[in-house]
Amino acid sequence: MRTLEDLDVEGKRVFVRVDFNVPLSQKGQSPMRHITDDTRIRAALPTIERLRERGARLLLAAHLGRPKNREPELSLKPVAARLGELLDAEVALAPSLDDVPDGELVMLENVRYEPGETKNDPDLAKRYAALAEVYVDDAFGAAHRAHASTVGVAELLPSAAGLLLQREVETLKGILEAPKAPLVAIVGGAKVTDKIGVIEAFLDRAQTILIGGAMCFPFFRAQGHGVGSSLCEEEGIPHAEAALAAAEAKGCRLLLPEDLVLGREFAADTETQQLDGVDVPDGWMGLDIGPRSAEFYAQEIAGAGTVFWNGPMGAFELAPFAAGTRAVAEAVAQAAGTTVVGGGDSAAALAAFGLDDKVDHLSTGGGASLELIEGKTLPGVEVLGG
Ligand code: ADP
Ligand code: MG
């Protein structure tokens, strides 16, 4: 994959695709929505600063949400303002592609205001390319989509990966290609079908896979246990069954919880009980792994050479069901091995526990990081020679 070192940028206009798809406050409270978490903006600063040091003039491009009709609440205005504060510099926002100011630091409006963006329309890619001499992609979170600003324009200009995208790809590929053993993968979250590709990738590479979250229940059903009213994805059952058989055949330890925390319903104030075992009685749902399982998972993580974690162990947003996810997060934070965390909710959990700076790599890409781990080719990476 081509990197910043491969590009001549001095005095040139560089089109920099970044991932500034930040969470915003709810509509209606004030006329302009504000940014509730600027992690993604801060993650792009090293590339922006490096290019500026090398004398480049930047044209930043990003998407925000899924606009249908140039709705003003999905304008990048608050993002340009926040970036300006972080850089202590003026960031000019171009009102349209036909009206791009000539400054050192310019940002295009939400690229998804352009109808051709998500269709990778060649005419739109040409219009982007006409605005710059060089292309840099630092939007790892969008690299699994072939859009005009991630792939189309990259084909028309000298192009390379920014520092964030480069680090994401190198770290995640490193887990697949040369992990320090034992490799322990912790896979949780809501659905087996979302994560089966990741589980399959680890069945071939990991010594141990620890399963948590609602994803346990299709596995328990496959083993003949009762799941009560737990969230249990029916379609996931055959996948779970196949994964159990593959683990047996390949000699990979695919481990499930041995105890659970139950609730009557998905709510913080529901009646709860601990279950020593995994046969969930009728009228109850499994909402977290139990303390014995959490302790046992933490020990496995402590002994790992490499840890990959995606997906919470339970409904961690609800205080009575957060302990399992917290125990795993703390174990990952304290682990001596290399630790990598990917996934939107897993990252949010880590941040909620104040542990996000205690892991070696916290991926900024949800879907993109999972697709890379699954071994898929990401179009936004391939176009950069990766
Ligand atoms: P990630 O974004 O990290 O990939 P997912 O989106 O797959 O994770 O899963 C996160 C969601 O799964 C959370 O909203 C959480 O409440 C839910 N969840 C986890 N375990 C359970 C459970 N036992 N019952 C119901 N929901 C659960
Ligand atoms: Mg999620």
Side-chain angles (χ1 to χ4, degrees), residues 8 15 116 127 143 146 157 211 220 226 243 252 261 279 283 304 329 339 353 368 386:
D8 175 17
F15 187 109
R127 290 176 73 203
L157 294 173
I211 302 285
F220 289 145
C252 174
V261 181
D279 282 291
T339 52
F353 302 137

Side-chain angles (χ1 to χ4, degrees), residues 284-372:
W284 292 88
M285 52 172 74
L287 288 167
D288 195 10
I289 61 172
R292 221 152 44 78
S293 306
E295 170 60 32
F296 161 53
Y297 282 13
Q299 274 170 24
E300 294 288 332
I301 292 164
T306 308
V307 178
F308 177 82
W309 178 29
N310 169 271
M313 298 293 100
F316 73 100
E317 308 93 324
L318 309 175
F321 309 108
T325 303
R326 181 186 283 275
V328 162
E330 284 171 353
V332 174
Q334 283 162 23
T338 303
T339 52
V340 178
V341 180
D345 291 288
S346 329
L350 209 59
F353 302 137
L355 299 170
D356 43 337
D357 59 348
K358 298 281 194 296
V359 296
D360 293 310
H361 183 72
L362 178 55
S363 180
T364 53
S369 52
L370 295 185
E371 288 194 18
L372 204 63

Side-chain angles (χ1 to χ4, degrees), residues 95-280:
S96 81
L97 291 183
D98 301 315
D99 186 6
V100 178
D102 185 44
E104 296 289 305
L105 254 179
V106 181
M107 191 185 289
L108 293 179
E109 254 302 359
N110 192 342
V111 289
R112 291 203 188 158
Y113 280 174
E114 302 296 331
E117 167 62 16
T118 57
K119 301 185 193 89
N120 192 13
D121 173 44
D123 292 324
L124 178 60
K126 275 186 210 147
R127 290 176 73 203
Y128 290 148
L131 297 170
E133 294 150 277
V134 176
Y135 174 84
V136 168
D137 192 358
D138 215 19
F140 179 66
H144 57 318
R145 309 266 185 243
H147 291 171
S149 70
T150 59
V151 169
V153 60
E155 288 169 336
L156 302 175
L157 294 173
S159 64
L163 300 169
L164 172 65
L165 189 139
Q166 182 188 352
R167 182 162 61 95
E168 291 272 13
V169 171
E170 285 174 357
T171 308
L172 294 167
K173 281 201 170 161
I175 291 237
L176 294 180
E177 287 161 9
K180 187 165 173 279
L183 169 59
V184 175
I186 312 132
V187 188
K191 293 183 181 171
V192 172
T193 52
D194 282 350
K195 308 281 169 78
I196 189 65
V198 173
I199 294 174
E200 283 168 356
F202 285 120
L203 281 169
D204 287 326
R205 293 174 176 86
Q207 280 64 50
T208 305
I209 304 175
L210 307 172
I211 302 285
M215 197 152 79
C216 295
F217 299 107
F219 282 91
F220 289 145
R221 278 281 300 275
Q223 291 177 331
H225 297 287
V227 298
S229 47
S230 304
L231 178 65
C232 178
E233 185 195 21
E234 208 60 39
E235 265 180 272
I237 299 169
H239 291 296
E241 212 166 341
L244 286 165
E248 186 81 39
K250 294 174 199 241
C252 174
R253 297 164 72 224
L254 178 63
L255 304 178
L256 293 160
E258 295 168 356
D259 60 345
L260 296 169
V261 181
L262 311 182
R264 287 281 184 193
E265 53 189 76
F266 190 95
D269 59 358
T270 189
E271 187 189 344
T272 69
Q273 68 159 305
Q274 282 192 15
L275 176 71
D276 193 13
V278 295
D279 282 291
V280 181

